[in-house]
Amino acid sequence: MPSLPKNYPFYNWVPKPLGILILILLFVPILTASGVYTANSGEMLSGLGIQSEHIQFVSFLTSVGMAAFSPFFYGLVCLRREKMMCIVGFSLLYILSYICAKTDSIYLLAVCSVVMGFLRMVLMMVNLFTLIKYAFGMEATRNITPGNDPVDEEGWDKLDREKSTSMPTIYLFFMILGQLGTSLTAWLAYEYEWQYVYYFMMGALLLSILVIFVTMPYHKYSTRRFPITFRKFGSVVIFCLMCASVVYVLVYGKVLDWYDDPSICWATVSAVCFTTLFIYMEKRQYSPYFLMDIFKLSSIRMGILLFLLLMIFNSSAMFVNVFTGVGMKIDNWQNASLGNWTMLGYFIGCIIAVMLGSRGVHLKYLFSLGFVLIGLSALFMYFEVQTSGLYERMKYPVIIRATGMMLLYSLTAVHANQRMPYKYLSTWICIMLTVRMVMGPSIGTALYTNVMQHRQQHYVTRFAQDRDLLNPEVAASYSQTVKGMQYQGKSEQEAEQMAAMSAKGSVQVQATLSAVKEMSGWTFYGCMACAIFFLLFPWKKRKLEPFAATVS
């Protein structure tokens, strides 16, 4: 790594505390600028007249773009050109945000989301490594440079202990900033219009560019002009198309009746073809975009399983939103405010992870504890879901689930990185983001929404069997509604129609709450099964000798 100016990346007149504050605040536009915002999905749906699945699909594509960046990770963080990369990246994000605010095309929104996800990940990693260097004087790239791997078991164990404390702290930082961004976008969409979210981000990007231009000097390339071969961008396109095809099937399968729709069939065929082509290209290339040998590592396979199960069961967060939306009729802003309690859960989970990890507690106990907490959150919903539920009590399942999520979210990466040769790091980040932010959530969302719909219909049929005018309570409620509508000036026919809709609505609410209660119970059982499995699974630390050969 070449020598850097003493006050890099700032001018010498910038005091260090101010420089640290600037680098931290730069994460705000990086983490919040996006191609679509799920927090204001309700306003976008009404403003654009589109399906909710469109918002889900485009949101996942942002994560696909972030995962596609990962194999370029090491080359870009070693450039050490903070000013140039931030100004170019923020300028592109500004243009793409403007397009997203103006367009009503879901296809253009999808393309912009992929590119914005890619840019966000570039800026996030570059800014993070610059912050570590500037604030703590540590050259973090030394711990990811191939060839600098520890040479003995003591060195690997020391590195693993350091990761047990550093990774939860880093994850806590990013997850709290992400939640604050979600709350901010929800507030802007609620108080104004959904386009104002993009306009606000555009203003934040312009302000960031101005601050960077004033406080940072220009730095020349210290190595060859650009250490990234554009030949790999062919693999990027194939990777994005592969992931997009899978996500399309999972997101739109329910509304398009799965394989009765030709687009789902074509998307499935495309997913198989692009996956085959991607594997073939990576095996044939001299300098591959993705190292396939990484799947030989047992900790990587277990990390994939942990992230997949975590994100599937974490989709049970929808229980709180469904219950508050159907049972309490609250709006998106109140739901987003309820989500702010996750920050407390993240903090508690980070404290538990750091304290127990530093004491040498085996990770299997922490993994099991994480699934137990997610299961307890579902169990709380099982007993809480009722027609007279309280909004104030919904913060408890949010906090409990966020605590378990934080444990698994941060420590799974610690386990997967145990004694992993540095040359695999970029590939692991790609796998981690793909499973954790794309495949896991999309599978979990598809599973929970499809089961929810099925169980709702089951309970609607069951509850509606005896709800006719022969039932005294139903007849009294129906007659009262008819008389009330007629008193308001409605005709007899209109009054009867509205009374019938009211009766149907009450059945639908009861069916939804019953479905949530049932699914909460099954989620609890599933989490307990995962906790027992990971507790009893024979965790064996990898032998060092075989991996010394792979490094050399």
Side-chain angles (χ1 to χ4, degrees):
M1 183 63 60
S3 60
L4 297 171
K6 183 178 180 181
N7 204 42
Y8 176 85
F10 297 101
Y11 287 109
N12 291 331
W13 60 264
V14 177
K16 192 165 186 176
L18 177 60
I20 294 174
L21 180 62
I22 290 173
L23 290 175
I24 291 176
L25 292 179
L26 285 180
F27 281 109
V28 175
I30 292 173
L31 291 173
T32 52
S34 177
V36 70
Y37 298 89
T38 53
N40 65 350
S41 58
E43 285 75 12
M44 291 187 73
L45 296 177
S46 60
L48 295 175
I50 59 177
Q51 296 175 329
S52 60
E53 284 74 18
H54 291 335
I55 302 298
Q56 292 180 17
F57 179 64
V58 175
S59 178
F60 284 133
L61 289 186
T62 303
S63 301
V64 170
M66 296 176 69
F69 149 81
S70 301
F72 302 120
F73 162 66
Y74 178 74
L76 287 175
V77 298
C78 291
L79 278 180
R80 290 307 191 197
R81 301 196 70 203
E82 175 83 359
K83 181 175 184 177
M84 180 274 293
M85 298 185 74
C86 284
I87 288 180
V88 172
F90 285 157
S91 299
L92 292 174
L93 286 176
Y94 178 88
I95 295 171
L96 294 169
S97 295
Y98 179 80
I99 294 173
C100 291
K102 292 295 184 181
T103 185
D104 58 357
S105 170
I106 189 64
Y107 302 105
L108 185 57
L109 195 61
V111 173
C112 289
S113 295
V114 174
V115 179
M116 292 179 80
F118 191 96
L119 293 172
R120 284 177 59 192
M121 199 64 185
V122 173
L123 295 171
M124 189 188 309
M125 291 295 102
V126 169
N127 203 54
L128 175 63
F129 277 72
T130 301
L131 176 62
I132 293 173
K133 173 67 176 177
Y134 185 76
F136 305 105
M138 297 169 53
E139 187 52 77
T141 55
R142 292 176 182 172
N143 290 335
I144 63 174
T145 301
N148 285 353
D149 311 56
V151 295
D152 54 19
E153 291 191 5
E154 183 179 353
W156 280 111
D157 291 341
K158 179 181 178 182
L159 183 63
D160 291 340
R161 288 193 297 270
E162 291 176 355
K163 291 178 180 178
S164 296
T165 56
S166 62
M167 281 193 177
T169 306
I170 293 174
Y171 275 99
L172 176 66
F173 173 74
F174 284 120
M175 293 171 77
I176 286 181
L177 280 181
Q179 180 57 39
L180 290 174
T182 299
S183 181
L184 174 62
T185 56
W187 177 78
L188 287 170
Y190 178 77
E191 291 292 334
Y192 304 100
E193 296 178 357
W194 66 266
Q195 290 92 340
Y196 279 78
V197 177
Y198 291 99
Y199 297 147
F200 176 84
M201 295 307 161
M202 290 163 64
L205 291 168
L206 288 178
L207 179 61
S208 300
I209 292 173
L210 177 61
V211 171
I212 291 168
F213 187 79
V214 171
T215 60
M216 297 183 185
Y218 175 81
H219 295 96
K220 295 182 179 180
Y221 280 101
S222 56
T223 57
R224 58 195 178 98
R225 294 294 294 173
F226 200 68
I228 292 178
T229 57
F230 286 90
R231 175 170 51 88
K232 292 185 178 180
F233 277 93
S235 298
V236 172
V237 174
I238 299 299
F239 175 82
C240 292
L241 291 173
M242 173 184 70
C243 293
S245 300
V246 175
V247 171
Y248 182 89
V249 175
L250 293 172
V251 171
Y252 290 99
K254 177 171 66 74
V255 296
L256 297 178
D257 201 15
W258 297 100
Y259 290 99
D260 285 339
D261 187 270
S263 65
I264 298 295
C265 299
W266 280 111
T268 304
V269 173
S270 299
V272 174
C273 292
F274 286 127
T275 302
T276 305
L277 180 61
F278 181 77
I279 295 173
Y280 174 79
M281 290 177 60
E282 298 312 302
K283 284 186 173 292
R284 299 278 295 183
Q285 288 187 21
Y286 173 75
S287 177
Y289 166 82
F290 188 99
L291 298 176
M292 292 293 178
D293 290 345
I294 194 172
F295 293 109
K296 296 179 181 179
L297 308 182
S298 60
S299 63
I300 296 297
R301 298 193 298 269
M302 183 56 68
I304 293 173
L305 178 62
L306 278 164
F307 271 134
L308 192 62
L309 292 173
L310 163 63
M311 300 316 296
I312 289 176
F313 285 113
N314 191 57
S315 298
S316 62
M318 67 176 290
F319 294 155
V320 174
N321 295 333
V322 171
F323 178 50
T324 54
V326 173
M328 303 178 187
K329 308 297 182 188
I330 68 172
D331 52 41
N332 287 340
W333 166 237
Q334 290 176 298
N335 253 333
S337 300
L338 191 62
N340 289 334
W341 286 102
T342 58
M343 291 188 286
L344 177 58
Y346 296 154
F347 181 77
I348 296 173
C350 179
I351 295 298
I352 295 174
V354 171
M355 289 183 60
L356 298 184
S358 62
R359 293 176 180 271
V361 176
H362 199 288
L363 291 178
K364 68 178 182 180
Y365 298 109
L366 300 179
F367 293 149
S368 297
L369 176 61
F371 281 110
V372 167
L373 289 171
I374 296 176
L376 290 177
S377 174
L379 186 65
F380 185 96
M381 292 301 300
Y382 179 85
F383 290 106
E384 186 65 22
V385 170
Q386 52 186 312
T387 54
S388 58
L390 296 176
Y391 173 79
E392 292 76 12
R393 292 176 60 83
M394 288 299 99
K395 63 185 178 184
Y396 298 116
V398 173
I399 294 172
I400 296 171
R401 182 187 55 80
T403 303
M405 178 188 174
M406 185 65 189
L407 283 171
L408 289 161
Y409 213 72
S410 58
L411 295 178
T412 296
V414 173
H415 169 72
N417 278 263
Q418 283 185 344
R419 297 186 178 183
M420 183 182 70
Y422 290 169
K423 68 176 182 177
Y424 291 125
L425 181 60
S426 295
T427 303
W428 160 244
I429 294 176
C430 182
I431 294 173
M432 177 177 65
L433 294 178
T434 303
V435 175
R436 192 182 70 193
M437 301 180 67
V438 182
M439 296 304 170
S442 59
I443 292 173
T445 301
L447 178 64
Y448 272 87
T449 54
N450 278 276
V451 173
M452 175 69 73
Q453 183 188 39
H454 179 269
R455 301 313 297 167
Q456 277 179 316
Q457 294 302 315
H458 167 78
Y459 284 111
V460 165
T461 303
R462 176 180 170 183
F463 294 154
Q465 288 179 351
D466 58 348
R467 293 186 69 86
D468 51 28
L469 293 180
L470 297 177
N471 187 314
E473 294 182 2
V474 175
S477 176
Y478 181 85
S479 301
Q480 185 178 2
T481 304
V482 170
K483 291 178 181 178
M485 292 297 104
Q486 288 179 331
Y487 181 77
Q488 295 177 15
K490 304 292 184 182
S491 66
E492 182 178 355
Q493 183 178 3
E494 289 177 331
E496 290 177 349
Q497 288 177 347
M498 298 189 74
M501 291 177 61
S502 176
K504 179 182 177 182
S506 64
V507 171
Q508 186 70 39
V509 169
Q510 290 180 346
T512 302
L513 297 182
S514 298
V516 169
K517 183 180 285 287
E518 179 183 348
M519 293 177 64
S520 297
W522 286 112
T523 299
F524 172 75
Y525 290 137
C527 289
M528 293 303 104
C530 289
I532 294 172
F533 170 78
F534 288 113
L535 194 62
L536 300 179
F537 185 82
W539 301 81
K540 297 179 180 179
K541 185 166 286 192
R542 294 191 303 239
K543 301 279 186 187
L544 187 58
E545 292 76 17
F547 291 94
T550 60
V551 174
S552 59

